[in-house]
Amino acid sequence: MSAQLRLALAQINPTVGDLLGNADLIVRYIGKAHAGGAHVLVFPEMIVTGYPVEDLALRPTFRAASRKVITEVAQRAAAQGHGDLVLIVGYLDEAKGVADRLGQPEGAPQNAIAIIHGGEIKARYVKHHLPNYGVFDEFRNFVPGDSSLVLRIHGIDVGVAICEDIWQEGGPVAELVERNLGLFLVPNASPFERHKDDARLALVQRRAREVGAPLAYVSMTGGQDDLVFDGDTIVVDAQGKVIARAPQFEEGLILVDLDLRVHTAKPDLVIHEEVIAPYTPLASPIAARLDDLAEVWQALVVGLRDYVRKNQFTTVALGVSGGIDSALVATIAVDALGGDHVYGVALPSKYSSVHSLNDAAALAANTGLHYRVIEIAPMVSAFLSRIHLEGLAEENLQARVRGTALMGLSNQEGHLILATGNKSELAVGYSTLYGDAVGGFAPIKDIYKTDVWALARWRNEQALLRGEVPPIPQSSITKEPSAELRLGQKDSDSLPDYKILDKILVHYVDEDEGSAALIAAGFDPALVRRVIGMVDRAEYKRRQYPPGTKVSARAFGKDRRLPITSRWDEAP
């Protein structure tokens, strides 16, 4: 016997700590789901608090507020006439009656979902598998659950799990395989990484086939600090065929009609025994996928936009040198915020070329950002009249004068300053502390230089396809990179060719391979030792660099954590 069920999936963008604002967002989507005729509405993991909450989970006041808000959400839904809709809502809870013990977070915080019906919390499920790798510190912040949960909703036996629970073998998935589900629901907060959407889909398909039931994988979207969530909510049938898929990086509600087996299991909780009368199903939406560079671009745009807005800035500013990095960051900022909210500042020294200033001015004209020129030569001369600096110290002084000027404008005018360094430079320490490293956010800190060029070309191509003026001047893309801190300076004076450098960095930084593996892969031994030495010596600089959007599986910061002081030499 089978019966129909209309499932609503809320792919939305919370803000960490804004429990009341998140509650209003949740209630708004409850109304949308009810208006759409849904029977069950699923929200992402930890949607009440936002995610990740990190050590906020350890605060009793924060846990108490989360518990209070989830109760209020249940009551508000019923008061607005939506009480018969079954809600599955992620929130922060705590284990009652569990004594604090060594190695466990004090207060026993738990990553939980509430099952809400009729204005009440009818049941809860607690995440079993707590990831403790990459950007995740859940084993530090939560205590795990230990039991599966199956609900009967309109005659259909529905199992639930939370994100990592399906990424790991055993635990609730193994239990649910034995419980003969009619439907499997999985709320998530899964950060974006390049190529992760393919792995995510393959996992969802495999788990659906294992449990023998359709699976709905519901994700959040939006930016949080250096993470960005791409949504990509997926529904597959029992054989793993995609039934519905939400747009990437977009907030919204999708409705999916399913024809499901009924009374297949022994449920832990019966909410509705009766099945829904037959009705005409809606067409299931399957959004087109973005290609690799389009995904990365959207991640960078959304990550910057939400960092700015959620931290209550209204404008950003950056130094525009005429080079490719600042041109790319400026274009990302304009796409994220609009040209009227972006302020570009050219800060030429006596070594700056005319073509660089021309390229900076062309960038401003193409994108519509605000633009001004501030000559730094008099400021540099004033410093040098009081302190003798030459060589590298004089070069870095110019960068630091620029950094001071930008931070002064930030203080005076309220802009968030954007650092424009890329991952290649950050890896090898090719930046100046308190100079080009200043700022509150670094949009391309996880983008290697070769990908900077690829993204610039891609963005210009997209403009041409839309009949628009390409934002990035062609000469910024084609000319040889230079910091222009001395006469005739080029990046290649200090660094290997970026095409070779980036390949070495991917092996060493992203894949944790040592010098022997790199040399065996065919890289020049002397170059390998040189690059590894540069990377290792620059750790102290990276610790002082602004946060920026993570797009790789191994970003600097929360992903890659190494000691500053270390005698270990990977390149003897």
Side-chain angles (χ1 to χ4, degrees):
M1 180 181 174
S2 65
Q4 289 174 286
L5 189 75
R6 180 164 293 173
L7 191 61
L9 311 173
Q11 181 173 290
I12 58 176
N13 181 1
T15 299
V16 166
D18 185 10
L19 276 65
L20 296 181
N22 295 340
D24 288 343
L25 181 63
I26 292 166
V27 170
R28 186 160 69 250
Y29 272 81
I30 292 171
K32 291 183 177 184
H34 185 266
H39 307 115
V40 179
L41 170 58
V42 187
F43 287 93
E45 172 183 13
M46 295 286 283
I47 199 68
V48 166
T49 58
Y51 182 88
V53 295
E54 300 184 328
D55 283 5
L56 284 174
L58 307 180
R59 297 186 182 180
T61 52
F62 191 66
R63 297 194 299 272
S66 174
R67 291 166 60 86
K68 179 175 182 287
V69 167
I70 193 67
T71 300
E72 291 172 349
V73 165
Q75 294 168 347
R76 289 174 66 181
Q80 294 181 13
H82 310 323
D84 201 45
L85 185 59
V86 179
L87 310 174
I88 297 177
V89 187
Y91 74 111
L92 173 66
D93 206 337
E94 60 187 12
K96 295 300 183 183
V98 176
D100 292 327
R101 59 181 183 270
L102 189 65
Q104 172 184 288
E106 185 175 351
Q110 293 186 312
N111 181 335
I113 53 175
I115 314 303
I116 297 171
H117 181 252
E120 298 179 357
I121 298 173
K122 299 291 189 179
R124 70 173 196 150
Y125 169 83
V126 177
K127 190 173 186 177
H128 288 218
H129 292 296
L130 303 176
N132 194 43
Y133 56 84
V135 299
F136 302 106
D137 283 316
E138 291 205 2
F139 199 77
R140 168 192 175 95
N141 297 131
F142 302 119
V143 297
D146 57 10
S147 60
S148 59
L149 177 65
V150 176
L151 317 160
R152 180 163 291 169
I153 304 172
H154 293 298
I156 296 151
D157 294 322
V158 181
V160 295
I162 300 175
C163 199
E164 190 74 11
D165 288 342
I166 72 165
W167 285 88
Q168 302 297 330
E169 303 300 327
V173 172
E175 291 183 33
L176 292 174
V177 167
E178 302 299 322
R179 298 193 68 176
N180 198 25
L181 301 180
L183 176 64
F184 193 9
L185 302 178
V186 187
N188 300 270
S190 180
F192 171 78
E193 291 174 10
R194 294 180 80 166
H195 315 303
K196 188 177 183 180
D197 54 340
D198 294 332
R200 190 185 286 150
L201 174 60
L203 173 73
V204 167
Q205 292 172 320
R206 179 159 64 91
R207 294 305 188 205
R209 288 191 290 266
E210 287 175 2
V211 300
L215 188 156
Y217 183 97
V218 185
S219 300
M220 68 172 60
T221 189
Q224 170 59 36
D225 292 348
D226 48 1
L227 301 182
V228 63
F229 300 88
D230 57 325
D232 195 28
T233 292
I234 305 168
V235 184
V236 300
D237 67 15
Q239 290 74 46
K241 178 183 176 183
V242 175
I243 299 171
R245 203 163 182 182
Q248 296 162 279
F249 301 102
E250 294 182 18
E251 190 171 64
L253 184 81
I254 65 172
L255 298 170
V256 184
D257 283 312
L258 301 171
D259 195 10
L260 304 165
R261 295 178 299 138
V262 299
H263 300 154
T264 55
K266 183 178 180 181
D268 301 296
L269 172 68
V270 176
I271 296 176
H272 294 293
E273 190 71 63
E274 72 286 357
V275 301
I276 298 294
Y279 61 88
T280 302
L282 300 171
S284 295
I286 301 179
R289 300 291 89 200
L290 301 175
D291 64 30
D292 176 52
L293 292 177
E295 282 186 345
V296 172
W297 189 267
Q298 283 302 110
L300 298 175
V301 167
V302 171
L304 175 58
R305 178 189 297 141
D306 276 2
Y307 190 86
V308 170
R309 292 179 177 175
K310 291 181 179 181
N311 286 290
Q312 299 181 320
F313 287 92
T314 57
T315 58
V316 298
L318 70 156
V320 286
S321 65
I324 186 62
D325 294 326
S326 63
L328 188 71
V329 171
T331 305
I332 292 166
V334 169
D335 280 5
L337 306 170
D340 199 44
H341 296 272
V342 180
Y343 289 75
V345 186
L347 297 153
S349 73
K350 66 180 182 180
Y351 299 114
S352 298
S353 62
V354 173
H355 68 75
S356 290
L357 275 173
N358 289 342
D359 287 341
L363 170 74
N366 294 346
T367 59
L369 59 77
H370 299 276
Y371 178 66
R372 76 184 94 172
V373 179
I374 300 174
E375 300 276 353
I376 67 164
M379 300 180 236
V380 172
S381 295
F383 268 95
L384 293 176
S385 70
R386 297 294 181 181
I387 181 172
H388 176 71
L389 300 174
E390 59 184 18
L392 181 62
E394 182 184 356
E395 292 177 25
N396 286 343
L397 173 63
Q398 296 167 69
R400 289 177 176 133
V401 166
R402 287 178 174 131
T404 299
L406 288 170
M407 293 311 299
L409 292 174
S410 173
N411 291 154
Q412 182 68 31
E413 300 174 4
H415 310 303
L416 174 71
I417 301 300
L418 303 181
T420 61
N422 60 65
K423 190 173 185 177
S424 305
E425 295 171 344
L426 197 59
V428 297
Y430 193 60
S431 63
T432 302
L433 284 177
Y434 325 117
D436 54 303
V438 302
F441 198 72
I444 62 170
K445 70 177 287 188
D446 199 28
I447 303 294
Y448 284 118
K449 186 76 170 191
T450 46
D451 281 333
V452 168
W453 279 309
L455 284 166
R457 293 188 186 98
W458 176 89
R459 181 61 182 82
N460 278 1
E461 289 167 1
Q462 297 303 304
L464 289 171
L465 289 172
R466 295 194 292 261
E468 300 169 354
V469 175
I472 300 174
Q474 188 62 26
S475 56
S476 292
I477 299 173
T478 57
K479 67 186 175 186
E480 188 167 356
S482 170
E484 294 190 330
L485 296 177
R486 65 174 182 269
L487 191 63
Q489 183 185 31
K490 299 174 182 177
D491 287 9
S492 56
D493 297 338
S494 304
L495 301 176
D497 179 87
Y498 280 114
K499 291 181 181 178
I500 298 173
L501 174 63
D502 286 356
K503 288 179 182 178
I504 294 174
L505 293 174
V506 168
H507 282 278
Y508 185 58
V509 173
D510 294 43
E511 298 173 6
D512 275 325
E513 294 183 4
S515 57
L518 286 165
I519 293 168
F523 294 104
D524 176 71
L527 180 59
V528 167
R529 287 191 286 270
R530 177 187 170 203
V531 171
I532 287 178
M534 295 170 76
V535 173
D536 291 351
R537 287 191 299 273
E539 183 62 34
Y540 78 102
K541 285 189 176 183
R542 289 189 288 272
R543 293 289 186 94
Q544 300 179 65
Y545 207 76
T549 303
K550 164 187 162 66
V551 298
S552 74
R554 193 76 161 144
F556 290 123
K558 292 179 183 177
D559 266 332
R560 188 179 188 270
R561 309 180 195 184
L562 292 172
I564 296 173
T565 305
S566 171
R567 292 288 180 88
W568 172 250
D569 187 356
E570 190 62 57

